[in-house]
Amino acid sequence: MLARRTVTSVRALRATRLLSTRAADILSSLDIPTSVELPGVYDGNWVGNGDIMESVCPTTGEVLARVKTASPEELQHALIKSREAYRFFRTVPAPRRGEILRQIRQALSDKRDALGALVSLEMGKIRTEGVGEVQEFVDICDYAVGLSRMMNGNVVSSERPGHTILEVPNPLGVVAVLSAFNFPVAVYGWNLALSMAAGNATLWKPSPSTPLCSIAVTKIVAGVLEKNGIPGAVAGLVTGGKDVGEAVVESRDVDMVSFTGSEAIGRIVGKTVQSRFGKILLELGGNNASVVMPDADLSVAVPSVFFGSIGTAGQRCTSTRRLYLHRKIASEFLELLQKMYGSIRVGDPLVSSTLLGPLHNTTGVNIFTDAVKHLRDSEANILTGGSRYSETPFDKGNFVQPTIAIPKSVDPTDKIWSTETFAPVLCAAVFDELEEAIEWNNAVPQGLSSSLWTRDLRNMGKWIGPSGSDTGIVNVNVGTSGAEIGAAFGGNKSTGWGRESGGDAWKQYVRWSACTINFSDEAPLAQGVDFSV
């Protein structure tokens, strides 16, 4: 009895911890309680009796909240409720689903600034990027509203008289979304909007380190579903660690898994889902290059590379990690870029003037430290950065100095070039011909985003053509980072071949049927086959 009382007292003491004003105000604005442990499972009801997970602010190191994750029983119940919700939602007419998405869009827009602040607080990206991430969710909802009236099939001409062929899309089932910490709102939004428009139920398993963003978003979406008489499990949530993620990926009740994360884990997820013949969408590593030709407009190219390499503290999948400079402009470009690096404003990401916030966690700091050590050990020339910010007030957060290095080796198979470093580390090399730069660009395992800076149409044609960049996003006079929602987002090779957001991405969230219809009085066989008796 004494032991039980002691445990209860400890829990009560933890629950009544004092939050900083900056954190308490943001959580309160989103109706997130600050004095109790939060339930981290939603299947129409909020529950949570699994392990306790802490949300830690990367800027200050303070514990923002403690979240009760999904127990094995709660996870299985959430999967069952998702299946039940799908059976209901698939019968809702697509334009009606679009109207619900319109209402979700409005509810998100009403809380855009508060949600953006929460992204900055919990993930660490600067305020304008946090708000911009929520805007992506708003924008994809707009897109999906229109899409709900345009998810069309095809009419195919038949070779047989009195026949026609229809290609028909129908709802797929339950879509599980496993999102990463670096975009704790937008990636789920891309998937949820298309999945809902298609008539599916969606189950979200967010990153273990950003549970508050997922709880806040789910509360907003759940409110809209409830007002419309839609089961809450149409947009369910299960927080937790590796065990929860594995159980979701392995479940035969999940028809499709959309996974965003590392190449190593993506390989495991892909094999697991394929082993049970489920559908898989992978968004994995990006090791993105910008190529700058001698005719490039440096007044545009330099700031774009600056944002590409430093934005979100180098933690975007599309961050610029490799910089290939033509010999004629290499020195000038690096001089201008170093000046911009020297002017970077580091600090609290919630302060509007800040351009560089912290890395998300200590794992990111270790990745940065290891990468810099490898550069030094391999005799790279480090032009700027290369250390942590250790002075007050940065000593309590995960702040590192953005780094530019010129590796001694230009071999693209070298670890320095072929491995994605998820931190603000930019490696530069000099080339003489565009073909050489294209070869280097394509030589790495990853294939997400790439960018060419030129004013010569011949260079542009070569870059986007069959002998050009082999990435999923191939830009000209636009940086590697900052994609819009209207086009499909995704990469090739070890990036996973997945496509999310716009374009034809919606076609992955439905099941397709080829329906041959005979409206004649005869039943001829195709290809002229005669099987008469």
Side-chain angles (χ1 to χ4, degrees), residues 126-128 345-357 399:
I126 61 174
R127 188 70 170 265
T128 185
R345 296 187 296 274
V346 187
D348 184 346
L350 289 167
V351 176
S352 60
S353 61
T354 298
L355 290 182
L356 178 67
F399 291 89

Side-chain angles (χ1 to χ4, degrees), residues 132-285:
E133 178 172 346
V134 180
Q135 186 63 45
E136 278 195 65
F137 200 160
V138 171
D139 291 345
I140 196 65
C141 284
D142 277 338
Y143 182 90
V145 171
L147 190 63
S148 68
R149 293 180 180 270
M150 300 170 59
M151 300 180 101
N152 304 321
N154 297 301
V155 179
V156 180
S157 297
S158 173
E159 66 186 60
R160 289 172 280 185
H163 288 61
T164 193
I165 303 170
L166 306 179
E167 291 181 333
V168 180
N170 276 300
L172 176 63
V174 175
V175 175
V177 180
L178 281 69
S179 60
F181 71 81
N182 61 328
F183 277 84
V185 171
V187 169
Y188 174 63
W190 296 345
N191 284 275
L192 178 71
L194 299 191
S195 182
M196 283 189 67
N200 303 316
T202 307
L203 184 62
W204 187 9
K205 193 280 174 188
S207 167
S209 57
T210 54
L212 296 183
C213 288
S214 63
I215 290 171
V217 167
T218 300
K219 281 178 175 284
I220 292 171
V221 174
V224 174
L225 296 178
E226 184 178 347
K227 288 178 182 177
N228 285 273
I230 303 296
V234 163
L237 172 70
V238 286
T239 60
K242 180 181 177 182
D243 56 334
V244 174
E246 288 178 343
V248 170
V249 168
E250 293 168 359
S251 175
R252 293 184 179 275
D253 288 321
V254 173
D255 300 277
M256 173 177 164
V257 173
S258 174
F259 173 82
T260 302
S262 70
E263 296 166 62
I265 302 301
R267 185 175 288 108
I268 296 170
V269 170
K271 288 180 179 178
T272 301
V273 176
Q274 289 172 350
S275 71
R276 57 177 181 81
F277 298 107
K279 291 189 76 172
I280 183 70
L281 191 162
L282 298 175
E283 293 288 359
L284 309 178

Side-chain angles (χ1 to χ4, degrees), residues 347-390:
D348 184 346
L350 289 167
V351 176
S352 60
S353 61
T354 298
L355 290 182
L356 178 67
L359 292 176
H360 179 60
N361 51 28
T362 55
T363 300
V365 175
N366 292 336
I367 289 171
F368 170 83
T369 302
D370 290 345
V372 171
K373 182 179 184 301
H374 182 67
L375 286 166
R376 295 189 193 281
D377 290 346
S378 58
E379 300 180 0
N381 180 15
I382 296 180
L383 302 180
T384 186
S387 303
R388 290 190 65 172
Y389 287 104
S390 56

Side-chain angles (χ1 to χ4, degrees), residues 383-444:
L383 302 180
T384 186
S387 303
R388 290 190 65 172
Y389 287 104
S390 56
E391 64 274 18
T392 304
F394 306 125
D395 54 329
K396 293 182 179 179
N398 304 316
F399 291 89
V400 300
Q401 298 174 1
T403 301
I404 304 173
I406 302 178
K408 192 172 184 179
S409 168
V410 296
D411 182 356
T413 64
D414 189 290
K415 176 184 175 181
I416 292 173
W417 297 104
S418 64
T419 303
E420 178 191 38
T421 298
F422 217 63
V425 176
L426 178 66
C427 291
V430 175
F431 69 92
D432 292 297
E433 300 294 338
L434 177 58
E435 290 77 9
E436 182 181 26
I438 292 174
E439 182 181 346
W440 290 350
N441 176 77
N442 295 351
V444 299

Side-chain angles (χ1 to χ4, degrees), residues 262-335:
S262 70
E263 296 166 62
I265 302 301
R267 185 175 288 108
I268 296 170
V269 170
K271 288 180 179 178
T272 301
V273 176
Q274 289 172 350
S275 71
R276 57 177 181 81
F277 298 107
K279 291 189 76 172
I280 183 70
L281 191 162
L282 298 175
E283 293 288 359
L284 309 178
N287 190 8
N288 317 293
S290 279
V291 176
V292 186
M293 297 298 289
D295 64 317
D297 183 346
L298 300 193
S299 69
V300 178
V302 174
S304 295
V305 170
F306 177 64
F307 170 73
S309 56
I310 290 183
T312 321
Q315 296 169 110
R316 289 181 175 230
C317 301
T318 53
S319 290
T320 308
R321 311 203 183 281
R322 296 179 293 147
L323 176 61
Y324 297 129
L325 302 170
H326 193 278
R327 191 173 301 278
K328 291 182 179 179
I329 50 87
S331 296
E332 180 184 1
F333 191 101
L334 288 172
E335 182 180 348

